[in-house]
Amino acid sequence: ERCRKIVEKLLIYTRLGSPVRERTDLKELVEDTLDFFHTHLELDGYQLHLDLHEGVQVLAVAQELQQVLVSLLLNAKESYETAPELAKNIAISCGQSEGHGWIVVRDAGIGIAPDDLTRVFEPFFTNKTIGKNIGLGLSVALEIVRQHGGDLALKSTPGQGTAARFSLPLS
């Protein structure tokens, strides 16, 4: 049963053709995305902390928003790679305010240097080892969010972590 559900979600995530925007519940989006990563993150020693509000709906192409969320989760995960002594905590929350639904992915990793923070959305910008990352994740994520009429922002303090927040108009 679990395998069948995973395959169904993979088929939705990889659906080809013209994407159609539909009412998308952000809590369900997060839960569906975590179905693919939850076990992997736990096996790697990550603790997930969820604060997901029900009934927050946006008009979106769900698989595109999943791509944004995956990119933010991978960045959060990578924030611990050079600091193995840190407790691997990733918090994900969703809610609504001021006519927008939002998702926040927060880590307590190494953070982003202020000079790098001004450049993270530039295509091909990366401070990772060459060959490990090509620097497109955040620029693609930003483009997807903007195409949905929303915004993506990062707040970070070196040594304390990063919070990535994307918001979209409520449907």
Side-chain angles (χ1 to χ4, degrees):
E1 180 66 18
R2 178 165 156 63
C3 288
R4 184 184 62 75
K5 285 182 181 180
I6 289 172
V7 169
E8 284 176 357
K9 289 176 184 174
L10 277 172
L11 290 172
I12 291 169
Y13 184 70
T14 60
R15 183 184 313 153
L16 300 175
S18 19
V20 176
R21 291 186 185 182
E22 300 174 333
R23 289 179 65 114
T24 303
D25 184 281
L26 294 183
K27 180 179 188 254
E28 289 177 18
L29 180 93
V30 171
E31 290 171 341
D32 288 349
T33 305
L34 287 177
D35 279 347
F36 297 118
F37 292 100
H38 187 73
T39 303
H40 174 69
L41 289 169
E42 285 182 347
L43 289 174
D44 285 345
Y46 289 85
Q47 295 291 318
L48 287 176
H49 307 277
L50 304 177
D51 182 16
L52 307 175
H53 294 253
E54 301 208 19
V56 181
Q57 297 202 354
V58 298
L59 194 60
V61 179
Q63 57 267 40
E64 290 181 359
L65 292 188
Q66 282 185 315
Q67 184 177 346
V68 171
L69 186 54
V70 166
S71 181
L72 299 180
L73 285 168
L74 290 174
N75 283 345
K77 187 175 181 284
E78 289 173 359
S79 74
Y80 294 98
E81 288 181 357
T82 59
E85 72 281 0
L86 295 175
K88 298 175 178 179
N89 292 306
I90 297 175
I92 304 169
S93 57
C94 75
Q96 67 183 40
S97 58
E98 300 175 8
H100 285 78
W102 49 263
I103 294 177
V104 175
V105 176
R106 183 181 320 271
D107 66 68
I110 61 171
I112 302 170
D115 290 343
D116 289 345
L117 193 57
T118 63
R119 301 187 60 209
V120 292
F121 293 111
E122 293 176 15
F124 304 108
F125 174 78
T126 183
N127 57 11
K128 307 284 189 291
T129 306
I130 294 175
K132 180 166 172 68
N133 187 320
I134 60 172
L136 285 175
L138 287 175
S139 63
V140 169
L142 178 62
E143 183 61 27
I144 290 170
V145 170
R146 284 185 175 164
Q147 286 178 359
H148 282 81
D151 193 31
L152 170 61
L154 271 67
K155 290 184 180 177
S156 186
T157 303
Q160 294 182 16
T162 302
R165 180 183 195 267
F166 71 93
S167 64
L168 304 166
L170 292 171
S171 64

